[in-house]
Amino acid sequence: MPALPGMPLSATKATMDTDDAQAKLAGNRPKRCTESRTLESPAFVDFIARLRNNTLECDAGGKVLRLKRFISANSGPKVLHEVLEALTENTTVEALYIQNFESGFFDEHLVKLAEVLSLKRIWCLNVGENFRTTLGAWKQFTEDLKDTAVSHMYASEHHFIGTDVKHRMKAVIRYVLCCQKYTLYSWCL
């Protein structure tokens, strides 16, 4: 057995023996991973299937999706990715509450959310209290909002303090709202 860098062979063997003993003590069970259990649970699989095929019974006849009613607030990134992926196929959800997923919502989820929103099916969004996102990701999200139908939105301001991001978001949403009104009433012309 080769020595680990910076460790004599005897110390390496002792470390490996300790690791083996701990593995036997744990019954050679893998570490618990609540996220993989969630992804494989029949309830979650059913939730995702119903979300994809528009048969999910949520508020307002399926139009308002409050994610915390279906998944835990400490859901991990893979769980949220599955939800966002399913939303790309859903055509009934118009209002999305995807707030306060501190353990699982990261920059890549803002990118995926922007992709979902670009389908222009969701016009109301609560994406607050997702603290593991960066200012750079929020700036990109603000730019991406131009290509959505979002006219009502809440996002936590802790990322935006001392920046113009909040004002830019408001301007983009006002622009989107103005374009929606023009599109809605253009048939009158």
Side-chain angles (χ1 to χ4, degrees), residues 118-171:
S118 73
L119 299 170
K120 297 187 178 186
R121 298 175 188 145
I122 297 172
W123 57 269
C124 180
L125 177 67
N126 181 339
V127 69
E129 291 89 33
N130 289 312
F131 299 117
R132 299 204 181 187
T133 50
T134 64
L135 180 59
W138 281 109
K139 286 180 178 181
Q140 182 59 52
F141 183 79
T142 301
E143 293 301 314
D144 295 340
L145 276 175
K146 292 176 186 172
D147 300 319
T148 73
V150 174
S151 60
H152 296 75
M153 181 177 141
Y154 172 77
S156 301
E157 295 183 31
H158 71 282
H159 287 297
F160 316 141
I161 295 172
T163 72
D164 67 339
V165 172
K166 181 178 177 180
H167 297 292
R168 288 176 37 214
M169 281 183 178
K170 285 180 179 181

